[in-house]
């Protein structure tokens, strides 16, 4: 998992693989204002969701990981905590679904980062992540989740 801001990651984009570089450039060059929540296709290698939700207690959130797509969570509005755990430390709740490119887990929340506007969290296939956790209070969040095929 990588946690930083879009600006900082762009300053050092040569340090990352081609997939992440393309994703960073796409996030930099796209105006997400006014776009509806839901799925938006970019090309055969990338698509994204505009997600809008209210944060909640960690006990009401869930762990997930992906095998085919890299996730770039880019916060547009609001603040949330995003939990992290290596998938080996979690217990499979729902087996991998190729249709959703997701496996769901249960496990204790031990580590989380707080992400506000401009923050970017990159989740690799080995990164179990739990999103939408309140950071001190319930708050509306609007973010982009860019999916990049590995």
């Amino acid at each position: 998992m990588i946690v930083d801001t879009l600006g900082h990651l762009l300053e050092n984009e040569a340090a990352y693989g081609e997939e992440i570089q393309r994703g960073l450039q796409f996030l930099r060059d796209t105006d997400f204002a006014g776009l509806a929540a839901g799925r938006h296709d970019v090309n055969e290698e990338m698509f994204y969701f505009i997600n809008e939700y209210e944060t909640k207690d960690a006990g009401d959130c869930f762990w997930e990981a992906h095998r085919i797509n890299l996730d770039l969570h880019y916060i547009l509005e609001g603040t949330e905590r995003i939990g992290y755990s290596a998938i080996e430390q979690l217990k499979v709740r729902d087996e991998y679904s190729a249709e959703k490119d997701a496996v769901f887990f249960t496990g204790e929340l031990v580590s989380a980062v707080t992400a506000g506007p401009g923050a970017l969290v990159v989740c690799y296939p080995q990164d179990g992540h739990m999103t939408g956790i309140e950071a001190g209070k319930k708050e509306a969040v609007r973010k982009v989740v860019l999916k990049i095929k590995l």
Side-chain angles (χ1 to χ4, degrees), residues 8-28:
H8 288 161
L9 290 172
L10 282 164
E11 288 172 8
N12 299 298
E13 71 178 313
Y16 304 102
E18 289 180 29
E19 295 90 357
I20 292 178
Q21 288 180 36
R22 280 194 303 275
L24 295 172
Q25 292 163 6
F26 175 79
L27 291 172
R28 176 196 63 209

Side-chain angles (χ1 to χ4, degrees), residues 46-120:
M46 287 193 297
F47 64 95
Y48 64 96
F49 292 98
I50 300 283
N51 292 343
E52 297 175 342
Y53 51 82
E54 186 172 86
T55 58
K56 50 192 168 194
D57 182 75
D60 296 325
C61 299
F62 56 89
W63 289 105
E64 68 178 329
H66 312 286
R67 293 186 183 165
I68 295 173
N69 294 303
L70 187 67
D71 269 9
L72 280 70
H73 295 251
Y74 179 47
I75 311 299
L76 300 172
E77 300 171 18
T79 300
E80 71 177 332
R81 291 175 60 227
I82 298 176
Y84 164 78
S85 180
I87 59 174
E88 297 82 12
Q89 297 173 339
L90 300 169
K91 182 179 178 189
V92 173
R93 183 189 81 194
D94 298 327
E95 293 293 331
Y96 177 74
S97 164
E99 180 182 329
K100 295 179 181 179
D101 182 35
V103 57
F104 298 97
F105 301 93
T106 60
E108 185 178 344
L109 176 62
V110 176
S111 178
V113 298
T114 301
L120 184 63

